[in-house]
Amino acid sequence: MAKALAGIKILDLAQWEAGPSCTEQLAFLGADVIKIEPPGRGEVGRTFVISEEDARLGLDSWYFLSLNANKRDITLNLKSPKGLEMFKKMVKKADVVVSNFGPGVMEKLGIGYDVLSQINPKLVYAENTGFGKGGPYSNYLAMDACAKAIGGAFSNTGLAGTPPLNPGPTIGDTGSGMHLAIGILAAYIHAQKTGEGQIVEQSMADAIINLNRVPTALHPLDDGEPSPRREFADVVKCKGDGPNDYAYVNLLTPKQYEMAMTAIGREDMITDDLKNNIRTRIERWGEIKAAIEGWTATKDKMEVFKTLADLGIPAAPVLDTKEVLDDPHFNQRGSIVEIDHPQRGKYRMAGCPIRLSKHDYEYVAAPLLGQHNEEIYKEWLELSKEDMEVLKAEKII
């Protein structure tokens, strides 16, 4: 079965997470993503958060493997005149170039949009930075947590009595990567219609502001003051002594509240005021939570989840990372997939979260450094094995 994005050629200069998460999703959907790395060491993500033993064995990090599946890989020294010239020749055949270097790095390398658009006017030039262009923070470096802090996500994570907390998911990185992928596809469609390429710019901070849309929209409810961290947490303790033996319970509507109180045997708390007024339920959450936990303390989180969910009450167990990988629902759906890596062997990771009814997915492990040099340089630049041996000796590839 043909892949949805089959035929799209992407030159991927991205590193760390924000850029690679974008290009991995496009690769899952069928784009031919050519990851380009410096010869010898590769991009920094290959050795990020790695054990001393794995580093000694020369293994790629689990971090890298999770962000670079389904890509092909070449090495190329962009700081050498010959390597730069080879890259520019490849740009002639590419549809998209993606990068997430620090501000101004692409221009310093001599491959900014003004240069590449002259080589290929139809090129989609996609870049991800921390704060974006056009403001006083434009030249600042950033990482995931910086974006979450400045974009508002820290401020409404935690409880009233805690300091601002860093949300666990790396939405500054992967969240901006998903936004970048949307922009790339929009620009690619435009290019196919008009023959005109363009710059797709995505800021990590802008992505957080967008993902934090609802708390920002509710700002007027706080009389113009900053939206505070709330007084209550809608997670309840379940049976067990583990750090994640909790369940999330949402009693949003009067019917859901009534069903929940009935299910836990606390019909005495089904008063008109509690049932029909959500503000009253919020104000008296401590009392409601104590009643719920009198019931949940005797049941594990999966039993709590299934009992309440079967009644139509929004609820979920607090699964840890291992439990997510093992969960039968996500494995049956293909949300979790098994990958076979030539060095690491079989392991599981998150698959493509997008489902297309006319297209299926196949998963290929993240490539070894320079794994596809021979086939790609022959395919894209018509280089022979002898040519590549010379380039390798010159440390160009």
Side-chain angles (χ1 to χ4, degrees), residues 191-235:
Q192 297 309 297
K193 291 178 179 178
T194 66
E196 297 175 343
Q198 61 183 300
I199 298 172
V200 178
E201 184 211 340
Q202 173 59 53
S203 152
M204 295 165 66
D206 287 350
I208 294 298
I209 293 171
N210 186 46
L211 294 170
N212 209 39
R213 178 178 297 273
V214 171
T216 305
L218 298 180
H219 180 76
L221 295 178
D222 295 304
D223 299 320
E225 296 298 319
S227 298
R229 289 183 291 285
R230 304 300 174 179
E231 296 286 348
F232 68 96
D234 34 15
V235 292

Side-chain angles (χ1 to χ4, degrees), residues 256-332:
Q256 289 164 355
Y257 176 78
E258 182 176 13
M259 288 190 300
M261 293 301 107
T262 301
I264 68 174
R266 291 300 303 269
E267 290 87 348
D268 59 299
M269 295 193 67
I270 309 175
T271 64
D272 286 342
D273 195 27
L274 281 171
K275 177 183 175 182
N276 297 317
N277 192 325
I278 189 170
R279 287 190 174 274
T280 301
R281 293 200 296 277
I282 292 172
E283 291 168 1
R284 295 177 60 184
W285 175 249
E287 181 183 346
I288 295 169
K289 181 179 179 181
I292 296 173
E293 289 187 329
W295 176 73
T296 60
T298 65
K299 295 171 172 55
D300 68 44
K301 60 189 178 185
M302 293 304 296
E303 184 179 358
V304 170
F305 164 48
K306 291 175 181 177
T307 299
L308 297 180
D310 283 343
L311 294 173
I313 297 170
V318 176
L319 298 186
D320 60 33
T321 52
K322 184 178 185 303
E323 288 170 326
V324 170
L325 289 173
D326 291 338
D327 188 85
H329 175 81
F330 298 126
N331 279 274
Q332 183 176 324

Side-chain angles (χ1 to χ4, degrees), residues 14-17 20 34-51 54-69 71-75 341-344 365-373:
Q15 56 184 343
W16 293 105
E17 180 178 348
I34 310 300
K35 187 172 180 69
I36 300 175
E37 302 184 69
R41 57 183 175 84
E43 69 123 312
V44 288
R46 284 190 182 269
T47 55
F48 183 62
V49 190
I50 194 169
S51 70
D54 285 352
R56 186 184 66 79
L57 294 172
L59 300 178
D60 293 328
S61 70
W62 296 110
Y63 173 88
F64 178 87
L65 299 188
S66 73
L67 292 162
N68 291 284
K71 303 177 185 181
R72 297 196 288 169
D73 191 282
I74 61 173
T75 52
H341 188 267
Q343 293 180 335
R344 290 286 194 175
L368 301 174
L369 183 62
Q371 180 177 335
H372 302 99
N373 276 357

Side-chain angles (χ1 to χ4, degrees), residues 47-156:
T47 55
F48 183 62
V49 190
I50 194 169
S51 70
E52 290 184 9
E53 178 63 13
D54 285 352
R56 186 184 66 79
L57 294 172
L59 300 178
D60 293 328
S61 70
W62 296 110
Y63 173 88
F64 178 87
L65 299 188
S66 73
L67 292 162
N68 291 284
N70 283 42
K71 303 177 185 181
R72 297 196 288 169
D73 191 282
I74 61 173
T75 52
L76 184 61
N77 184 357
L78 293 175
K79 294 181 178 180
S80 70
K82 188 176 289 187
L84 206 59
E85 188 60 30
M86 289 170 63
F87 177 75
K88 290 177 179 178
K89 287 181 180 178
M90 295 182 75
V91 167
K92 292 180 181 179
K93 297 184 177 182
D95 298 298
V96 184
V97 168
V98 181
S99 72
N100 67 324
F101 296 127
V105 170
M106 290 287 282
E107 288 75 13
K108 289 177 183 176
L109 287 171
I111 49 175
Y113 181 69
D114 58 337
V115 174
L116 299 189
S117 61
Q118 295 298 313
I119 298 170
N120 181 351
K122 200 174 179 180
L123 183 71
V124 174
Y125 180 95
E127 56 183 351
N128 175 286
T129 60
F131 299 103
K133 296 178 178 178
Y137 311 146
S138 295
N139 292 325
Y140 295 167
L141 297 177
M143 56 187 296
D144 173 77
C146 298
K148 289 188 286 191
I150 203 167
F154 270 47
S155 74
N156 48 43

Side-chain angles (χ1 to χ4, degrees), residues 230-251:
R230 304 300 174 179
E231 296 286 348
F232 68 96
D234 34 15
V235 292
V236 292
K237 184 73 177 71
C238 300
K239 182 180 179 181
D241 298 321
N244 294 297
D245 284 325
Y246 290 84
Y248 167 85
V249 180
N250 189 318
L251 307 179

